[in-house]
């Protein structure tokens, strides 16, 4: 799949105001939102809805079961999603968070709450549908596996993977492993919850060796919820290698780092593709000059 390169994030917004300076990390982005750099004061916005979702997927003919746990917040017309580990939050949180101001949630001691609130706020003030730098791709009507394959082929096609290129995959989904290998890449998988990929490749838990060896890194947005996103961002910046993020978690957060450590993003806002068989959009971002993985570095 060939995708047109996106333009860089514009230095001036459509309302004539200057765009905020690219953040150094997630904490800096959060502080900028709390200052009002991105739009309305978050003190005046509230989470009108809070949802807790438990979901599992197992594709026919496989013995791998993916278990997902989501915290979703609604702020006016914006939704923010954060996938968490099984015991990271109690489901009762969905009953506690509605009615609270976004500013309060952005200061919450729990990382997933802050991430969901930040994502909801940014999805409201920076909706993907208004992003000139994003290409919309409609996932086709079909089975879960058909839709997952279409999504993961698009992710792997965001940057050109050269044969023999070592691709660090932080957050393993087997169709994405296959998509990387189909382009001739050598997949270096890392995940907390899997021991081997479907083709038998060992999956490591420690991402540091993967980050040290990879020529290109593909990471899930769930790295936001476990706190490793900033570490990944620092590593790829220091090494000068490209980073692709496939984001259900933080789909509105990660594009804020485009061209500043993140080379490309597959952003999939709530409701996520696995909740429907009908065509649904993903929003594909690429930084200027990021069509080739080596050039993007």
């Amino acid at each position: 799949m060939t995708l047109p390169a996106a333009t860089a994030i514009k230095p001036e917004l459509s309302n004539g105001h200057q765009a905020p300076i690219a953040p150094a990390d997630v904490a800096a982005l959060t502080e900028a939102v709390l200052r009002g750099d991105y739009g309305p004061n978050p003190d005046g916005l509230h989470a009108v809805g809070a949802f807790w979702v438990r979901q599992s997927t197992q594709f026919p003919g496989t013995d791998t079961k993916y278990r997902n746990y989501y915290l979703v917040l609604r702020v006016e017309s914006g939704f923010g999603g954060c996938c968490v580990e099984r015991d990271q939050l109690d489901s009762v949180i969905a009953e506690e968070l509605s009615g609270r101001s976004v500013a309060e949630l952005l200061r919450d001691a729990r990382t997933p709450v802050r991430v969901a609130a930040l994502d909801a706020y940014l999805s409201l003030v920076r909706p993907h549908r208004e992003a000139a730098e994003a290409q919309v791709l409609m996932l086709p009507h079909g089975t879960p596996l058909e839709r997952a394959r279409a999504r993961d082929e698009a992710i792997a096609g965001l940057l050109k993977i050269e044969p023999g290129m070592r691709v660090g995959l932080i957050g393993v989904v087997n169709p994405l492993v296959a998509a990387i290998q189909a382009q001739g890449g050598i997949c270096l998988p890392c995940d907390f919850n899997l021991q081997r990929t479907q083709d038998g490749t060992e999956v490591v838990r420690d991402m540091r060796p993967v980050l040290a060896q990879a020529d290109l890194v593909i990471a899930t947005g769930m790295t936001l919820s476990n706190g490793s996103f900033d570490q990944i961002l620092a590593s790829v910046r220091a090494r000068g290698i490209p980073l692709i993020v496939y984001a259900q978690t933080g789909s509105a957060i990660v594009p804020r780092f485009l061209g500043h450590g993140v080379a490309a993003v597959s952003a999939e806002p709530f409701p996520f593709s696995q909740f429907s068989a009908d065509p649904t959009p993903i929003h594909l971002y690429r930084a200027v000059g990021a069509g080739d993985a080596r050039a993007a570095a």
Side-chain angles (χ1 to χ4, degrees), residues 261-275:
V262 174
V265 185
S266 172
E268 187 179 328
F270 186 84
F272 306 133
S273 60
Q274 62 265 42
F275 300 144

Side-chain angles (χ1 to χ4, degrees), residues 181-192:
Q181 294 170 339
Q183 294 196 40
I186 299 170
C187 187
L188 307 177
C190 176
D191 197 289
F192 285 143

Side-chain angles (χ1 to χ4, degrees), residues 69-129:
Y69 309 87
Y70 297 98
L71 171 64
V72 179
L73 298 176
R74 180 169 188 172
V75 177
E76 295 188 353
S77 61
F79 286 85
C82 186
C83 188
V84 301
E85 297 292 346
R86 180 175 183 175
D87 298 321
Q88 198 170 357
L89 292 175
D90 191 292
S91 61
V92 73
I93 196 169
E95 302 173 25
E96 298 174 350
L97 297 183
S98 61
R100 297 187 183 181
S101 75
V102 173
E104 180 183 358
L105 296 173
L106 289 174
R107 296 185 176 101
D108 194 279
R110 296 161 292 190
T111 298
V113 175
R114 298 195 303 273
V115 169
L118 183 61
D119 192 38
Y121 177 91
L122 290 170
S123 73
L124 174 65
V125 302
R126 297 286 191 277
H128 298 296
R129 65 183 176 275

Side-chain angles (χ1 to χ4, degrees), residues 33 58 81 115 152 164 275:
V33 166
Q58 183 169 344
V115 169
D152 293 344
F275 300 144

